[in-house]
Amino acid sequence: MKKICLIGGINYASIVDSDSFKNENSVPSNIHSRFGGVAYNIAIKLSEYKDGEITLISVLSNDVLGNLVSNFLSKLGIKYQNSIFVDSWSSYYCHINTKDGSYGFDDMRCLKKVTPEYIKSIKNVLDDSDIIFIDGNLNEDTISYIANNVKTPLFFDGTSPEKAIRVKNCFDKIDFVKFNYYEYCRFFIFDPKDEILPEEIIHHLLDEKIKNKLVVSLGKQGALLFSNSGYSFYKPENIIESKNALRAGDSFVSGIICGYLNNLTDYEILVEGTKRSVNVLKQNIKESNYT
């Protein structure tokens, strides 16, 4: 069984579905909470699809919330014992869905505790893995340390436009990178357009002659996968319209990791990632009264 190590965020997330923002003291909404975070969500999906032996390294706590998530991870067989433990929970996310759009707010400052020195102390866990996933919530110096000192194949997820650039100085040393359209534009210094044109991205990245594998997800326009041997493009026939795309991108990445570990073709990798993403979008529609 393949060993997959994920390093990144776990947060306590509140999801709010409401008609719109209103200037009132209390706006009727559909509110529910769950644990989330990029690395956490991907670990859960990898476990759900039985893709391998999962190790998750993050910042957990010794209080009620920390015990809840630790017990849940244990039930799934996900190893978390090499995480950093603090006294009280300190990582939060709030996602608001309205008819006018979606908004996300995160506080992931606790991941500053995942320093290069700490990674060095558990480097044997990384060296024993078949692939390592890191998300953009980690500090730039920690990302650089992993990229420069760990020989295990490395997968990086940009997470957000401002966090995607944290891999700038070690981009060529990352085996597999995933950006969404806005992260791609921020990283390569392009102004995002209202209309996403896959052809323009293809021409640009062919000129870049990148050495690693790079996935660019384009929402309902599909996804691209580039490597030094060329590119693949996949767009599903049936588009799922959902204003709540929460966890869909993370599920997409779980499929990409699975395809990479199982030596699928680039096209097959995109198909697997998209299939998993679509399943989550369908679930989000069922959960929300406002989508």
Side-chain angles (χ1 to χ4, degrees):
M1 182 175 286
K2 300 290 187 180
K3 294 182 178 181
I4 308 170
C5 178
L6 302 101
I7 310 173
I10 303 177
N11 56 49
Y12 185 71
S14 294
I15 296 91
V16 181
D17 294 312
S18 185
D19 283 325
S20 62
F21 285 119
K22 298 178 182 178
N23 188 21
E24 299 178 7
N25 291 328
S26 180
V27 179
S29 306
N30 174 19
I31 302 175
H32 59 282
S33 298
R34 62 161 63 99
F35 288 103
V38 174
Y40 173 85
N41 288 336
I42 296 171
I44 297 302
K45 281 299 172 184
L46 290 169
S47 174
E48 178 183 315
Y49 283 93
K50 304 185 186 304
D51 290 319
E53 181 181 310
I54 314 301
T55 295
L56 178 59
I57 298 171
S58 187
V59 177
L60 294 170
S61 60
N62 295 310
D63 59 5
V64 173
L65 287 179
N67 290 334
L68 281 174
V69 71
S70 295
N71 290 336
F72 181 64
L73 292 172
S74 292
K75 289 180 180 179
L76 294 178
I78 297 174
K79 299 178 181 180
Y80 61 87
Q81 290 78 7
N82 284 298
S83 294
I84 295 173
F85 288 84
V86 296
D87 291 334
S88 60
W89 195 267
S90 57
S91 179
Y92 297 91
Y93 181 77
C94 179
H95 192 88
I96 301 175
N97 299 306
T98 73
K99 290 183 178 179
D100 300 321
S102 296
Y103 311 86
F105 308 87
D106 71 79
D107 183 351
M108 306 291 290
R109 289 172 293 174
C110 64
L111 284 180
K112 291 181 179 179
K113 297 180 181 296
V114 184
T115 62
E117 291 73 23
Y118 185 75
I119 294 297
K120 184 178 180 179
S121 73
I122 57 169
K123 189 171 176 292
N124 62 308
V125 177
L126 279 62
D127 290 337
D128 190 45
S129 301
D130 292 295
I131 190 170
I132 299 167
F133 169 89
I134 57 176
D135 67 40
N137 290 302
L138 296 173
N139 283 351
E140 184 175 348
D141 58 345
T142 300
I143 294 171
S144 294
Y145 176 83
I146 296 171
N148 286 294
N149 293 278
V150 177
K151 302 303 181 183
T152 305
L154 186 60
F155 191 120
F156 173 80
D157 187 331
T159 308
S160 76
E162 291 307 312
K163 296 173 183 177
I165 60 176
R166 293 177 181 176
V167 77
K168 199 83 173 181
N169 293 328
C170 57
F171 181 77
D172 290 342
K173 296 184 178 180
I174 309 292
D175 299 274
F176 217 123
V177 176
K178 183 263 177 181
F179 290 149
N180 66 24
Y181 173 65
Y182 295 100
E183 293 160 2
Y184 157 82
C185 291
R186 180 69 177 87
F187 188 86
F188 289 105
I189 316 177
F190 284 103
D191 290 327
K193 299 179 180 178
D194 293 334
E195 182 181 359
I196 301 172
L197 300 175
E199 295 82 4
E200 292 186 19
I201 299 176
I202 290 171
H203 289 309
H204 167 249
L205 289 177
L206 288 175
D207 291 338
E208 285 286 328
K209 298 179 180 179
I210 61 173
K211 298 179 181 179
N212 44 13
K213 287 182 177 288
L214 169 63
V215 171
V216 183
S217 60
L218 303 173
K220 63 182 180 181
Q221 295 295 329
L224 307 165
L225 196 162
F226 287 82
S227 67
N228 56 11
S229 60
Y231 70 91
S232 292
F233 173 74
Y234 176 71
K235 180 179 180 180
E237 293 182 2
N238 299 317
I239 305 300
I240 304 298
E241 296 287 351
S242 173
K243 290 184 179 179
N244 178 9
L246 197 62
R247 296 176 298 145
D250 300 332
S251 297
F252 176 80
V253 171
S254 77
I256 300 299
I257 292 174
C258 169
Y260 179 76
L261 287 174
N262 288 284
N263 298 313
L264 299 185
T265 66
D266 289 352
Y267 181 80
E268 291 170 336
I269 287 175
L270 292 176
V271 172
E272 179 63 26
T274 301
K275 179 182 70 176
R276 297 188 183 192
S277 178
V278 167
N279 287 339
V280 169
L281 290 174
K282 290 178 179 178
Q283 182 181 343
N284 288 349
I285 291 173
K286 291 180 180 180
E287 291 181 353
S288 176
N289 294 327
Y290 298 91
T291 303

